[in-house]
Amino acid sequence: MAELESASLPLDSGASPAGDAVTETTLRGEVEKVIYQSDDDSFSILNLKDSQGNLHCVFGAVSGAYAGQGIEVTGKWEFHKEHGRRLKVSSYSFTLPTTTEGIEKYLASGIIKGIGAKYAKEIVKTFGDKTLEILDNASVRLREVPGLGQKRIKAIKKSWAENAEKRNAQICLQSLGITPAYFNRIYNNYGNECAEIIRKDPYRLASDIDGIGFIMADRIAEKSGIGKADAKRLKSGVTYALSQIRLSGHVCMPRGEFIQTVARLLDVEEANAEQALELALLEDLAVIRRSHSGIDMVYEPGLLRCEEELPKLIANLAVREKHFGHAVLNFRTPPDSKFSGEQLRAVETAGASAFSIITGGPGVGKTTVVSEIVRRASAAKLNIVLAAPTGRAAKRMSETTGLPASTIHRLLKWDPAERRFVHGRANPLQYELYVLDEVSMLDLPLSVAFFRAVRPGACVILVGDADQLPSVGPGNVLNDLIECGLVPVSRLTKIFRQGAGSGIIHAAHNVNEGKMPDDGLYYPKNELADFYWIEKEEPEEAADVIERMMIDRIPARFGFDPKNDIQLITPMNRGVCGTVAMNERLQALVNGESKLAFTSAGRTFRIGDRVMQTSNNYDKGVFNGDMGRVMVIRHSDSEFVVRFDLNDVTYSFEDAEQLTLAYAVTIHKSQGSEFPVVIMPILSQHYMMLQRNLLYTGMTRAKKLMILVGSRKAVSMAVRNAVREPRHSLLRERLEDAFREKGAVR
């Protein structure tokens, strides 16, 4: 807070606080520094430098501000006993900068192609406060700037000319709170008419522009004078509610519950929410289907199609009597092998069925079973493919089997031009045996996409731990398939010798059985363990311990590298031990020495930073939860390169919003990944998230060392809470219907 306090002190004496508070004041100048910006960019504290060079602290509902930007604010002065004299903003507008410092910051922001921080400095050094005028009227003079080649000059001139109307539109839209990061996307979509289009219907942004959701569109609509019960808002609000339901893992929702959700999200009466749903139904933005029990369920149309199609695809596959899996049965396991009875039965079941599931916890030999199936299938010369939902899971699968493995997305091949997968019903994959691992992560839409691409007669084996958290995306496919009782399921329960001595595996199974992790856990004296529990009650203490463990104790005692080997996973994003606070803290500790960096949307990324993709980007071939490392930063081109497990991906600085630091990730986001070392805080402040399957999932992410930091009370709460958050879906009853149609259910 020291920076904030010093920055807030008035540097000009001005009028008395009492007098200032009576009338409104208008200040013009440039943003010297963004002191604070809320996560949703709805509130800012800024240092504004006026034409005389005086600094003023201004605060309020200012969106889209960045250093160097011209700004005019109107408001009333307030006097804070700690921070001094500040202007509370009632209205504001953006302008082009006029000072040399502001112009340099403006040009360095990436708005004009060909100008980064380096060339912005040289251009302003050459032309001073006349820079913008010269760019407007005498751009030929750019050849006077040292280091500017003809090719770059041409690019700058072209970009500046093209941006004349664009700049005017930008200033207009920034007054509505649209940040530079989003402006380019909007302009590229709507062109010079963007301001008029948005003023008429801001909610178009939520459906037309990637990265702009209902919340931002609603904020813009409010500034445009659109009321809460406006039909455009209500209709868009239903789409938003459906997206929130999807993000929560639901496929659908009972009508009554949905109406309540819409009313809460939009802050309207339930009558307005009913009206909103009717409007959405008329335009096919939402669909209603009745369950077997007579409950009306509200669906996003695309998810309904997925839920109706998947059971038919699985039933068509599962009931087929002739399939390539039978070839596995023609080969026998060597008599001297050390397979258990349940493992051998799992192999036989997989061969006898066109579709089957293998499930079990850590250390029970799922990999051993898969390896034996693959060995037999290879001997039978079957065309085999191994795949998993994430790159990390695919990489691990390849390492354990010795065969190539792919992500499901790469297997299906995304076509950016057609905006669909290459392989599907009309162009199926030609493999004869499919083994998919980590299928607890498999959501409904990806499941449909995969099964569409499976050729008739192929054999499909799903492998996963049904006790882990369900997929991040909608549905609970693995559990629904297991619980429906219509497909063969092999449950592996026996812990094998290689896992029997592991404290991690012992503790994880304890949790899964409703016991405390350290129950019965014993290590011989003076031996290093692979599971530790450091009991701490207070979040601040836990955060300090985590820091010492990561930076000092673990590297010194076990030899693991903080930058590459140690992963913090936590139940929540917020709080002292949440991902937001810990990422900032750990970045400074682990990678603070890295000098090359850039800042986008208030977040700083450095060379060497561990990052995670937070949304699916089919065009770039990276998906929600993929983890990588920043390898290259090119300020001159406003772009950077991230190395993921399977490929290098180039991003523009604007695209950095798709990424987050990943020194700390949520347990949900860690699914499908394994790390040499995992540190996991479990505290009472996490009470809303404390569930058995959450704790169990987190513990099973550790490969060599697991350190639990937290209170016994919180861990006990998680262990006792075996109730799983239900996910609304009618997949089970649709599976029954599909198998009944095939004559497989009486």
Side-chain angles (χ1 to χ4, degrees):
M1 291 297 291
E3 185 181 29
L4 173 59
E5 290 167 6
S6 62
S8 301
L9 293 174
L11 301 185
D12 57 325
S13 57
S16 68
D20 286 345
V22 176
T23 57
E24 286 198 326
T25 299
T26 296
L27 294 176
R28 298 178 187 85
E30 293 163 2
V31 178
E32 167 70 15
K33 189 175 184 180
V34 179
I35 301 300
Y36 171 78
Q37 206 164 48
S38 64
D39 290 341
D40 63 357
D41 195 30
S42 63
F43 178 87
S44 300
I45 303 174
L46 314 170
N47 268 355
L48 184 153
K49 182 185 282 188
D50 64 24
S51 56
Q52 281 75 49
N54 296 316
L55 282 181
H56 308 271
C57 183
V58 303
F59 72 101
V62 179
S63 303
Y66 60 91
Q69 187 173 47
I71 190 169
E72 180 177 297
V73 298
T74 299
K76 292 181 179 180
W77 289 105
E78 292 186 354
F79 192 85
H80 193 278
K81 63 180 182 180
E82 251 185 271
H83 306 312
R85 183 169 174 256
R86 310 184 300 174
L87 189 76
K88 185 176 182 181
V89 178
S90 58
S91 63
Y92 68 98
S93 61
F94 293 119
T95 63
L96 288 175
T98 56
T99 67
T100 56
E101 188 179 359
I103 294 169
E104 182 181 332
K105 289 178 179 176
Y106 173 74
L107 293 179
S109 67
I111 289 175
I112 306 302
K113 290 181 181 177
I115 304 180
K118 175 184 173 183
Y119 291 112
K121 187 177 185 70
E122 289 297 328
I123 292 170
V124 174
K125 186 178 176 181
T126 304
F127 302 123
D129 60 6
K130 303 293 185 186
T131 296
L132 300 186
E133 183 183 334
I134 286 169
L135 286 169
D136 272 331
N137 305 312
S139 58
V140 68
R141 291 188 61 191
L142 284 170
R143 62 192 178 189
E144 299 173 24
V145 180
L148 275 188
Q150 201 55 43
K151 186 177 179 182
R152 189 175 293 275
I153 289 174
K154 188 177 179 181
I156 293 170
K157 288 166 70 173
K158 183 182 179 185
S159 182
W160 184 261
E162 290 174 347
N163 276 270
E165 288 188 67
K166 185 177 179 179
R167 288 194 298 277
N168 293 331
Q170 185 178 26
I171 291 168
C172 178
L173 292 187
Q174 282 183 321
S175 67
L176 295 175
I178 295 173
T179 66
Y182 290 112
F183 172 76
N184 284 333
R185 297 181 197 176
I186 296 170
Y187 189 85
N188 291 339
N189 199 77
Y190 299 141
N192 292 329
E193 310 302 316
C194 59
E196 184 181 350
I197 290 170
I198 290 169
R199 289 191 185 280
K200 283 183 181 177
D201 184 8
Y203 295 102
R204 283 185 60 178
L205 292 169
S207 56
D208 293 348
I209 311 298
D210 287 341
I212 296 184
F214 176 82
I215 297 293
M216 186 181 293
D218 200 39
R219 204 161 54 235
I220 295 164
E222 187 179 6
K223 291 182 179 180
S224 303
I226 295 175
K228 285 186 177 182
D230 186 278
K232 291 190 290 289
R233 182 175 189 264
L234 294 177
K235 188 170 64 178
S236 181
V238 169
T239 303
Y240 171 59
L242 287 168
S243 73
Q244 294 303 106
I245 289 168
R246 183 184 185 124
L247 288 172
S248 299
H250 301 295
V251 179
C252 54
M253 184 170 280
R255 179 172 181 145
E257 190 177 338
F258 182 76
I259 294 298
Q260 292 173 359
T261 300
V262 172
R264 185 185 73 256
L265 290 174
L266 301 190
D267 191 25
V268 296
E269 300 294 327
E270 288 192 12
N272 296 128
E274 287 277 7
Q275 180 191 355
L277 178 57
E278 293 303 323
L279 288 169
L281 291 170
L282 284 171
E283 296 194 24
D284 295 325
L285 300 174
V287 188
I288 291 178
R289 291 290 184 271
R290 183 159 292 180
S291 71
H292 288 175
S293 58
I295 300 172
D296 284 343
M297 307 295 286
V298 182
Y299 284 86
E300 180 187 315
L303 284 183
L304 174 62
R305 289 193 293 271
C306 287
E307 194 182 73
E308 290 178 335
E309 186 177 358
L310 182 61
K312 295 174 183 177
L313 292 168
I314 288 175
N316 285 338
L317 176 70
V319 300
R320 187 177 288 270
E321 292 184 4
K322 293 183 179 181
H323 55 85
F324 288 105
H326 285 307
V328 172
L329 301 178
N330 297 329
F331 294 84
R332 291 289 176 262
T333 302
D336 59 344
S337 65
K338 297 179 180 178
F339 288 89
S340 70
E342 64 179 12
Q343 286 180 320
L344 287 173
R345 285 192 294 275
V347 174
E348 297 294 319
T349 300
S353 314
F355 177 72
S356 63
I357 297 170
I358 300 168
T359 186
V364 296
K366 294 191 298 293
T367 299
T368 303
V369 171
V370 168
S371 296
E372 176 61 11
I373 293 169
V374 168
R375 184 192 69 81
R376 291 188 182 192
S378 299
K381 300 191 182 319
L382 294 184
N383 193 5
I384 311 163
V385 67
L386 309 181
T390 68
R392 282 184 169 249
K395 186 178 179 182
R396 193 170 69 249
M397 196 180 188
S398 181
E399 290 168 353
T400 56
T401 62
L403 291 177
S406 164
T407 64
I408 297 172
H409 292 92
R410 283 182 173 272
L411 180 67
L412 300 177
K413 293 182 183 175
W414 180 254
D415 184 342
E418 297 292 328
R419 309 298 298 170
R420 61 178 178 82
F421 288 115
V422 171
H423 294 290
R425 200 189 295 274
N427 182 27
L429 295 161
Q430 293 304 304
Y431 298 99
E432 295 159 340
L433 176 69
Y434 299 80
V435 183
L436 303 191
D437 200 8
E438 293 285 356
V439 288
S440 61
M441 300 179 65
L442 198 60
D443 63 20
L444 179 63
L446 188 56
S447 299
V448 171
F450 168 74
F451 281 101
R452 280 175 183 162
V454 175
R455 62 180 287 188
C459 177
V460 176
I461 303 163
L462 304 185
V463 185
D465 187 348
D467 293 320
Q468 289 192 27
L469 290 168
S471 60
V472 174
N476 196 356
V477 175
L478 177 61
N479 268 280
D480 283 343
L481 286 169
I482 291 172
E483 297 299 325
C484 75
L486 297 167
V487 298
V489 178
S490 298
R491 296 180 183 272
L492 304 179
T493 58
K494 182 182 176 183
I495 300 175
F496 279 81
R497 190 173 58 217
Q498 61 268 32
S502 167
I504 299 171
I505 290 175
H506 182 96
H509 279 277
N510 270 352
V511 168
N512 203 33
E513 294 166 9
K515 304 174 187 174
M516 294 296 278
D518 57 351
D519 190 4
L521 192 60
Y522 170 75
Y523 292 106
K525 193 175 180 181
N526 299 323
E527 282 192 14
L528 288 177
D530 65 352
F531 175 80
Y532 294 89
W533 181 355
I534 303 171
E535 292 191 36
K536 293 293 176 185
E537 295 288 338
E538 298 301 322
E540 291 78 10
E541 291 180 349
D544 289 342
V545 165
I546 290 167
E547 180 180 311
R548 289 197 301 273
M549 286 290 134
M550 180 169 278
I551 304 304
D552 182 24
R553 300 292 298 279
I554 293 173
R557 194 169 185 188
F558 295 91
F560 292 110
D561 178 13
K563 206 167 187 175
N564 299 307
D565 299 329
I566 307 173
Q567 181 65 53
L568 177 66
I569 61 174
T570 178
M572 299 178 72
N573 289 310
R574 302 296 173 195
V576 175
C577 290
T579 61
V580 176
M582 291 306 299
N583 266 320
E584 185 175 338
R585 188 167 178 171
L586 294 176
Q587 182 193 42
L589 289 166
V590 175
N591 199 32
E593 77 283 356
S594 179
K595 303 297 183 190
L596 193 55
F598 72 94
T599 299
S600 176
R603 291 180 297 175
T604 297
F605 295 91
R606 299 187 175 111
I607 287 283
D609 270 341
R610 194 186 304 169
V611 295
M612 174 180 280
Q613 181 78 15
T614 59
S615 59
N616 290 338
N617 189 323
Y618 289 95
D619 295 340
K620 292 184 182 295
V622 286
F623 304 97
N624 191 359
D626 285 354
M627 294 178 69
R629 194 173 297 278
V630 178
M631 303 301 293
V632 178
I633 295 175
R634 291 189 281 262
H635 281 280
S636 59
D637 298 316
S638 298
E639 65 182 25
F640 63 107
V641 178
V642 177
R643 178 161 294 167
F644 293 95
D645 288 317
L646 302 176
N647 58 327
D648 286 0
V649 178
T650 300
Y651 295 83
S652 70
F653 286 174
E654 291 177 0
D655 291 335
E657 64 177 5
Q658 300 177 28
L659 297 164
T660 185
L661 292 172
Y663 298 99
V665 301
T666 63
I667 296 173
H668 283 85
K669 290 285 191 180
S670 73
Q671 286 176 264
S673 296
E674 251 187 9
F675 310 97
V677 182
V678 167
I679 304 175
M680 182 169 60
I682 299 291
L683 300 156
S684 296
Q685 67 172 189
H686 301 144
Y687 70 94
M688 292 185 64
M689 301 293 294
L690 294 181
Q691 297 175 341
R692 184 183 296 176
N693 62 344
L694 184 97
L695 179 58
Y696 173 74
T697 299
M699 296 177 72
T700 57
R701 300 306 91 205
K703 191 174 181 180
K704 297 180 179 178
L705 179 63
M706 169 75 208
I707 298 178
L708 183 63
V709 181
S711 72
R712 189 161 287 272
K713 179 182 176 183
V715 172
S716 176
M717 192 184 302
V719 169
R720 292 197 309 271
N721 185 10
V723 178
R724 302 194 177 198
E725 198 68 32
R727 290 193 165 187
H728 294 302
S729 170
L730 300 183
L731 182 60
R732 287 190 205 179
E733 62 182 53
R734 296 189 193 280
L735 283 164
E736 290 176 8
D737 292 344
F739 275 81
R740 188 175 289 109
E741 286 179 12
K742 294 291 181 180
V745 178
R746 295 180 181 178

